[in-house]
Amino acid sequence: MASDDIAQLADALSKTHVGDGELSYKGLGLKLDNAESVEELVCEIEQYHGLRALRLEGNTVGVDAARAIAKALETLCVFQRCYWSDMFTGRLRSEIPTALRSLGSALMSAGARLTELDLSDNAFGPDGVKGIEQLLKSPSCHTLRELRLNNCGMGIGGGKILAEALIECHRQSLAHGAPLKLRVFIAGRNRLENEGASALAKAFQVIGSLEEVHMPQNGINYAGVMALASAMRHNPELRLLNLNDNTFTKRGTLAMAQALRHLRNVQVINFGDCLVRSEGAIALAAVLREGLPILKELNLSFGEITEAAALVVAQAVTDKPHMEKVDLNGNCLGEEGCEALREAMENMDKGDMLASLSDDEGEPDDEGEEDEDDHENDDDYDDDDASDDCNEDNEEVHRMDKTLLFSHQVDASDPHKAADVLLKIASLYSEEPETKSAVFETIDAVLKKLLSGSALQSYCFLSTLLVTMGILKGEGKVKKVSLVPGQLLCLEHAVQQEYFPQHHASLLYTFMSKKSEALESCSSASENLSSTLEKKCHGQRLSH
């Protein structure tokens, strides 16, 4: 070894942190190519009795150097923590698995019982995961509490190998009477996609002890998100869930909302840049209403959420005593929407909780627009004659009987069918007393059933109803109806009933109070409904 290299290493080692059972060579920029280059480092390890942690971050370790370090680790039976992120810079990808196998074999030979393993920022790909596969399956990892593999380029293949290794680790540890209790899992920026995420979801479900899961930027869409959501339900101690910059869309968000209903210890949710959209935001607001009692942070930034949906979220955090931050930046609120949101938060004395809105995308151009091809019914009605048209002949009577029959089959688990049936019933409204009474009675029965379940079910139904009415922009192709005044009159009636909770009225009012082309043909009925909703929101007594 050249004398100047030895001098550089000696100087670097003089800066190492020694204490608390830890040796740290973090960030020293050492180029460790062979056994000779790590002689003094190895000596430090061998002379440290009771060494429990070794930091090698920010250096670059070759295969021969790794073997020499491994030899020193073989005697460390009390060793627990490997901080080995970013330690293969400039190395051939083919070298890394060999180096990792050497280090892993040494830990297994020593009988070490690891609690932390950090290999983040090592671009080792699927082959690198193979390099730690045997270590992860071994008794040395039965005690693992934190596994950090951020930015390793694992890909789908690596994700599957990792999942199988974790499942096997749990199986073997369980057989020994002390099951794996992994608490922290970090694997962001790994291109796991749906298959890799779904494989890991199976492992998470088996493990059941996770407290933190960080999997941002993995190219996961709704299928993978749904698998992860299902797995999270089996981890009741979950405190932090970070899935930033994946693609939830409506299906993924609804699945995640369903899972969050069952989790009482969550403190931080990061679904930023996940395309949650307005319907998803409303579903999450429902979960905020009925669960997540100790939530501190909620990130729904850059999710194509519109003003009214953002306000629904804001209203839902009002009663969260531990809430510290709500991030709705980068959505589609528009200048007036941003101001309305700030004002709403300040009125609730929560102004300091709201993150900056400086990157708002502005109002979407097509919010509330309707395509004529989407209409289920293109008849034109106005406030004066609509109520007389539904009851003119036997055909309408037959339609009423058929619709009322369908009303008994309505189920909150199918919000699209429920919204469709409700609007069909309401379209039969007439000022003729017998018809009016029959329609109101049926509307009451249907809504009482639909709104009697969880807040999540009822919020999903109400958001679907708003989409079907053309007031809220839905996801994909959605069948919309051309509204008639009778439908709004039926809603006005329903809102006044005891079965219609105040916070449901608040949700509807938030949308109904916004200008919408869908309501232009029913302006008078729309104004009456908005007025009734506003009174209900403020707890005023309503005359039935």
Side-chain angles (χ1 to χ4, degrees):
M1 188 174 185
S3 58
D4 54 343
D5 289 336
I6 295 172
Q8 181 188 10
L9 178 57
D11 179 62
L13 290 174
S14 70
K15 299 174 185 176
T16 61
H17 169 72
V18 181
D20 302 325
E22 177 181 293
L23 270 179
S24 176
Y25 305 94
K26 182 178 179 179
L28 298 181
L30 300 175
K31 191 172 187 297
L32 308 173
D33 295 327
N34 50 43
E36 188 181 6
S37 69
V38 294
E39 281 180 357
E40 292 193 34
L41 188 156
V42 166
C43 185
E44 291 260 2
I45 294 173
E46 290 174 340
Q47 292 177 1
Y48 196 127
H49 298 291
L51 182 64
R52 286 178 169 79
L54 177 63
R55 289 189 176 275
L56 294 174
E57 310 104 307
N59 300 291
T60 177
V61 181
V63 172
D64 290 338
R67 285 175 178 148
I69 295 170
K71 189 70 176 173
L73 293 176
E74 286 180 354
T75 60
L76 302 180
C77 61
V78 296
F79 193 77
Q80 296 178 328
R81 303 187 301 279
C82 307
Y83 301 111
W84 296 346
S85 65
D86 187 24
M87 69 171 197
F88 295 114
T89 301
R91 301 295 169 181
L92 294 175
R93 191 157 163 173
S94 58
E95 293 181 72
I96 300 174
T98 305
L100 289 173
R101 284 192 186 95
S102 296
L103 294 167
S105 294
L107 294 172
M108 289 186 281
S109 296
R113 292 295 181 265
L114 298 184
T115 58
E116 295 181 48
L117 177 59
D118 185 355
L119 289 167
S120 298
D121 301 315
N122 290 309
F124 49 50
D127 289 341
V129 184
K130 292 177 182 177
I132 59 171
E133 183 179 5
Q134 293 308 313
L135 173 64
L136 289 172
K137 291 178 179 180
S138 75
S140 289
C141 283
H142 289 183
T143 50
L144 197 62
R145 297 293 178 265
E146 299 186 16
L147 179 58
R148 302 170 188 268
L149 296 168
N150 201 58
N151 191 31
C152 290
M154 289 190 287
I156 293 171
K160 289 181 175 180
I161 296 167
L162 176 60
E164 288 299 323
L166 290 173
I167 291 171
E168 180 62 17
C169 180
H170 184 272
R171 188 190 68 78
Q172 290 190 23
S173 61
L174 182 63
H176 284 85
L180 171 66
K181 292 184 178 179
L182 189 67
R183 293 172 186 160
V184 177
F185 179 86
I186 300 176
R189 300 183 66 187
N190 271 292
R191 304 193 309 275
L192 294 170
E193 301 181 15
N194 288 337
E195 289 185 62
S198 296
L200 284 166
K202 292 178 182 177
F204 297 161
Q205 185 165 326
V206 168
I207 293 168
S209 57
L210 290 167
E211 296 178 13
E212 293 187 23
V213 175
H214 304 254
M215 295 176 67
Q217 286 185 280
N218 269 299
I220 307 168
N221 66 29
Y222 75 86
V225 173
M226 290 171 74
L228 289 170
S230 179
M232 291 307 108
R233 294 177 65 165
H234 296 268
N235 288 267
E237 300 304 314
L238 189 70
R239 294 184 294 106
L240 185 152
L241 182 57
N242 175 9
L243 294 174
N244 189 285
D245 199 9
N246 290 292
T247 307
F248 281 32
T249 59
K250 179 181 174 181
R251 292 173 70 178
T253 310
L254 293 184
M256 198 57 73
Q258 191 66 251
L260 289 170
R261 283 186 62 222
H262 302 275
L263 300 172
R264 310 293 293 177
N265 295 301
V266 176
Q267 297 178 25
V268 179
I269 295 172
N270 186 344
F271 295 163
D273 204 10
C274 283
L275 216 58
V276 165
R277 294 185 172 142
S278 295
E279 287 182 273
I282 293 170
L284 292 171
V287 178
L288 285 167
R289 286 276 184 189
E290 64 181 350
L292 300 172
I294 59 172
L295 189 67
K296 292 181 178 179
E297 294 184 25
L298 176 64
N299 184 345
L300 297 179
S301 60
F302 298 94
E304 293 189 3
I305 298 168
T306 55
E307 176 193 348
L311 287 169
V312 172
V313 172
Q315 291 159 7
V317 302
T318 308
D319 298 324
K320 293 294 167 197
H322 303 282
M323 187 67 82
E324 297 172 1
K325 183 179 179 182
V326 178
D327 192 346
L328 289 161
N329 193 25
N331 282 298
C332 304
L333 311 185
E335 191 174 333
E336 291 183 5
C338 288
E339 187 56 41
L341 181 59
R342 290 191 195 97
E343 185 178 336
M345 294 293 284
E346 286 169 6
N347 289 342
M348 295 183 288
D349 199 26
K350 305 283 186 181
D352 294 342
M353 185 190 297
L354 185 65
S356 168
L357 298 173
S358 59
D359 297 314
D360 187 73
E361 297 284 343
E363 288 186 76
D365 294 334
D366 57 351
E367 178 64 10
E369 288 183 4
E370 292 185 300
D371 186 337
E372 288 183 8
D373 293 336
D374 288 338
H375 291 176
E376 218 174 52
N377 177 3
D378 288 327
D379 294 333
D380 292 321
Y381 291 81
D382 59 49
D383 286 284
D384 294 323
D385 62 16
S387 60
D388 297 324
D389 288 340
C390 295
N391 216 32
E392 287 182 350
D393 51 33
N394 291 333
E395 184 180 337
E396 290 301 323
V397 173
H398 174 70
R399 187 158 70 94
M400 175 181 284
D401 292 338
K402 187 177 180 181
T403 302
L404 297 183
L405 180 63
F406 285 149
S407 70
H408 298 294
Q409 302 170 13
V410 167
D411 193 305
S413 63
D414 188 350
H416 292 281
K417 181 178 179 181
D420 183 55
V421 170
L422 185 78
L423 290 172
K424 282 180 176 175
I425 295 168
S427 71
L428 302 176
Y429 174 87
S430 167
E431 286 297 340
E432 193 276 317
E434 190 174 337
T435 302
K436 180 178 179 179
S437 176
V439 169
F440 278 175
E441 185 179 332
T442 309
I443 288 287
D444 288 339
V446 170
L447 280 175
K448 198 177 292 186
K449 182 178 181 182
L450 292 172
L451 302 181
S452 63
S454 68
L456 179 57
Q457 276 192 329
S458 55
Y459 270 46
C460 286
F461 161 69
L462 291 173
S463 66
T464 303
L465 180 65
L466 289 165
V467 169
T468 309
M469 293 168 70
I471 297 169
L472 169 63
K473 182 185 177 184
E475 200 170 277
K477 288 188 176 182
V478 180
K479 260 191 173 182
K480 301 173 187 175
V481 301
S482 290
L483 293 179
V484 297
Q487 292 164 325
L488 302 186
L489 291 170
C490 285
L491 280 177
E492 184 185 359
H493 160 81
V495 167
Q496 300 177 62
Q497 310 309 310
E498 290 184 4
Y499 64 74
F500 209 103
Q502 190 174 7
H503 65 98
H504 287 36
S506 178
L507 188 161
L508 284 184
Y509 177 68
T510 302
F511 283 90
M512 293 296 300
S513 60
K514 307 299 175 189
K515 186 177 179 181
S516 171
E517 289 182 16
L519 298 171
E520 288 179 358
S521 62
C522 311
S523 56
S524 178
S526 172
E527 288 170 10
N528 289 338
L529 174 56
S530 291
S531 176
T532 302
L533 285 166
E534 185 177 18
K535 290 176 183 176
K536 179 97 173 192
C537 293
H538 291 104
Q540 296 180 26
R541 186 177 178 83
L542 300 172
S543 58
H544 292 194

